[in-house]
Amino acid sequence: MSGDHRSLALLLFSAFVAVTLGITTWVSRRRQGSAEEFYAGGRLFSPMENGFAIAGDYMSAASFLGISGLIALFGYDGLLYSVGFLVAWLVVLFLVAELVRNVGRFTLGDVVAARMRERPVRIAAGTSSVTVSVLYLVAQMVGAGSLVALLLGGASGAARTWTVIGVGALMVIYVSLGGMRATTWIQIVKAVLLMAGAIALTVLVLVRFHGNVNELLNAAAAQSGHGRDFLAPGLRYGGDWTARIDFVSLGPALVLGTAGLPHILSRFHTVPTALAARRSVIWSIGLIGGFYLMTIVLGFGAAALVGTDAVRASNAAGNTAVPLLALDLGGGEGSAGGTVLLAVVAAIAFATILAVVAGITLASSASVAHDLYASLKRAHTKRRDEVAVARLAAAGIGAVAIALSLLAQNLNVAFLVGLAFAVAASANLPVLLYSLFWRNFTTRGAVWSVYGGLIPAVLLVVVSPVVSGSPESILPGVDFAYFPLQNPGVVSIPLGFLAGWFGTVTSTEPPDEARHAETEVRSLTGAGAV
């Protein structure tokens, strides 16, 4: 990439960072000592504001860079990620949003502990939330590394490393100084920028093909090297039985995982009422639905205009398909239009990464402080202590995410997020649904449900081809891939539900019917909600 590209992109990067740091500084001057201010922004956001923030949280680097890249590489099979991420919001809207807002206070642990013995349940929920959050953070930072590698010509491993470290440092600053209020406004700004960029690129792609989608698809198939197979199922998931089962595993992970993501669940506590939470989800569905439809156009546009081979040559996982598409739409390499459009798209993608990592880090640090720390120190814990611990936890979580992301630079970011969704659907969703809807659910059932989904999901990923056994693995030089699937959802999600059921039916502790009745009334009516 030319020096002009780099200078303009870095200028736009710097402008966004300056704006977001300005927001954080402005918010930090306001009172941030209370837990309600730090974790939930004082519950003062409107449904529209929170809807934009939810959309900003959800439309991550996996969406903008990863899904479009998978479509550019695998056609129809890559499109399945767009469908899965979008359909997942129906589960959130109909089963989770209002009930979580009414029952909880800040975290998933609050919802489950409403009718259980608090300490074991909070420790389990906090552990699971941090694990899911770190996996999600790794995906965002891998996206940042891929983006900067493209800007610098792909030759500088040191640049990738320092980019990941810089993103980690910024996210700690955002969370530590600004809390939920600053994070929310950063998400809103980012959502507006991302939607504007996606709309502009989509319009340019359609104009290039005279608005004829059939012509776009035919051109993508012709440039893919796979012909008509590019537009049919099976290019990625239609090979041997392992690939087909992997597809079956991916579907429920994507559809069910959203309802168990800690940074999404925490968003429902930033509005004053359950009705506002539901309206927030409706706003976010409109934004997210439009965005994922555009990723389909961008993915096939990249295949048609850039070519699948060129996308793979730039980044084997396809993470740079959209920036390369922007360069082509602007007039090609060396043109002024290409330089400007690529720099703008790269800056928007970088803004996306910064905003999302801030939201995830806040949710995970809240779980460390409010669930883990407060459970161990509950008799002596004050809310101010929790907030201080949350700020320290942000730094620790950032360090872990940085280290893991440096190992996973060769993996597609949408694929990495699929792993996070699988863990969330295995560990968080079963205990959440059982707590809200099963009258006889017990503390043992809750703890077993979390660990019964979390431990198998993580272990199966460790002994899968994701970590070892192939050139694309995190550790390509060794082979302990005893589990053949890349996504563990088909095994770990049923295990989470089964463990919760088995723990409950074998528990000697009778279910607390009075607390269940209280929780049920509060979840459905909002009476007594915080």
Side-chain angles (χ1 to χ4, degrees), residues 241-317:
W241 67 269
T242 304
R244 298 184 183 191
I245 297 178
D246 234 335
F247 167 67
V248 174
S249 185
L250 176 66
L254 296 183
V255 172
L256 300 177
T258 300
L261 293 176
H263 64 292
I264 298 298
L265 295 175
S266 66
R267 283 258 153 241
F268 301 136
H269 302 301
T270 62
V271 289
T273 65
L275 179 59
R278 188 177 184 85
R279 288 177 175 171
S280 297
V281 176
I282 293 172
W283 270 100
S284 64
I285 284 178
L287 295 167
I288 291 167
F291 175 77
Y292 281 116
L293 289 175
M294 289 187 285
T295 62
I296 297 173
V297 176
L298 298 180
F300 283 114
L305 298 175
V306 179
T308 299
D309 290 340
V311 171
R312 186 176 282 110
S314 172
N315 182 274

Side-chain angles (χ1 to χ4, degrees), residues 426-500:
S426 304
N428 292 349
L429 185 64
V431 72
L432 182 61
L433 295 183
Y434 279 149
S435 297
L436 292 173
F437 299 110
W438 190 11
R439 179 181 300 274
N440 295 324
F441 198 43
T442 63
T443 299
R444 176 191 279 185
V447 173
W448 283 26
S449 180
V450 174
Y451 292 129
L454 176 65
I455 294 173
V458 173
L459 287 180
L460 290 177
V461 170
V462 170
V463 296
S464 75
V466 174
V467 175
S468 69
S470 74
E472 295 80 24
S473 300
I474 294 175
L475 302 174
V478 295
D479 185 1
F480 47 87
Y482 305 114
F483 181 67
L485 305 181
Q486 293 190 328
N487 191 295
V490 71
V491 176
S492 58
I493 295 173
L495 284 178
F497 281 98
L498 183 62

Side-chain angles (χ1 to χ4, degrees), residues 174-516:
Y174 293 150
V175 172
S176 300
L177 295 181
M180 178 60 83
R181 192 182 298 274
T183 301
T184 299
W185 282 110
I186 292 169
Q187 297 286 12
I188 292 170
V189 172
K190 167 255 175 151
V192 172
L193 290 174
L194 184 58
M195 287 298 292
I199 290 170
L201 289 178
T202 301
V203 169
L204 289 173
V205 170
L206 293 176
V207 167
R208 182 72 68 91
F209 291 94
H210 313 290
N212 190 330
V213 176
N214 190 53
E215 184 182 341
L216 165 63
L217 296 177
N218 288 333
Q223 293 295 320
S224 68
H226 300 285
R228 303 298 296 181
D229 291 342
F230 190 70
L231 305 178
L235 197 59
R236 179 181 174 97
Y237 295 110
D240 56 15
W241 67 269
T242 304
R244 298 184 183 191
I245 297 178
D246 234 335
F247 167 67
V248 174
S249 185
L250 176 66
L254 296 183
V255 172
L256 300 177
T258 300
L261 293 176
H263 64 292
I264 298 298
L265 295 175
S266 66
R267 283 258 153 241
F268 301 136
H269 302 301
T270 62
V271 289
T273 65
L275 179 59
R278 188 177 184 85
R279 288 177 175 171
S280 297
V281 176
I282 293 172
W283 270 100
S284 64
I285 284 178
L287 295 167
I288 291 167
F291 175 77
Y292 281 116
L293 289 175
M294 289 187 285
T295 62
I296 297 173
V297 176
L298 298 180
F300 283 114
L305 298 175
V306 179
T308 299
D309 290 340
V311 171
R312 186 176 282 110
S314 172
N315 182 274
N319 293 328
T320 56
V322 171
L324 291 173
L325 174 63
L327 181 62
D328 186 276
L329 290 171
E333 189 169 356
S335 66
T339 299
V340 171
L341 195 56
L342 174 58
V344 169
V345 167
I348 290 174
F350 201 71
T352 296
I353 292 165
L354 287 178
V356 171
V357 297
I360 302 167
T361 305
L362 177 61
S364 54
S365 63
S367 292
V368 171
H370 187 62
D371 292 328
L372 299 177
Y373 173 78
S375 294
L376 298 174
K377 300 283 187 179
R378 183 153 298 280
H380 309 289
T381 300
K382 297 179 181 179
R383 293 296 182 194
R384 287 177 297 179
D385 296 336
E386 274 191 30
V387 172
V389 170
R391 290 187 166 113
L392 291 175
I397 291 166
V400 172
I402 288 169
L404 291 176
S405 63
L406 293 176
L407 295 174
Q409 289 291 338
N410 293 325
L411 297 178
N412 181 276
V413 290
F415 168 75
L416 287 170
V417 165
L419 295 181
F421 273 55
V423 177
S426 304
N428 292 349
L429 185 64
V431 72
L432 182 61
L433 295 183
Y434 279 149
S435 297
L436 292 173
F437 299 110
W438 190 11
R439 179 181 300 274
N440 295 324
F441 198 43
T442 63
T443 299
R444 176 191 279 185
V447 173
W448 283 26
S449 180
V450 174
Y451 292 129
L454 176 65
I455 294 173
V458 173
L459 287 180
L460 290 177
V461 170
V462 170
V463 296
S464 75
V466 174
V467 175
S468 69
S470 74
E472 295 80 24
S473 300
I474 294 175
L475 302 174
V478 295
D479 185 1
F480 47 87
Y482 305 114
F483 181 67
L485 305 181
Q486 293 190 328
N487 191 295
V490 71
V491 176
S492 58
I493 295 173
L495 284 178
F497 281 98
L498 183 62
W501 170 82
F502 189 70
T504 297
V505 299
T506 60
S507 175
T508 57
E509 172 192 7
D512 192 329
E513 294 187 6
R515 292 182 71 181
H516 168 73

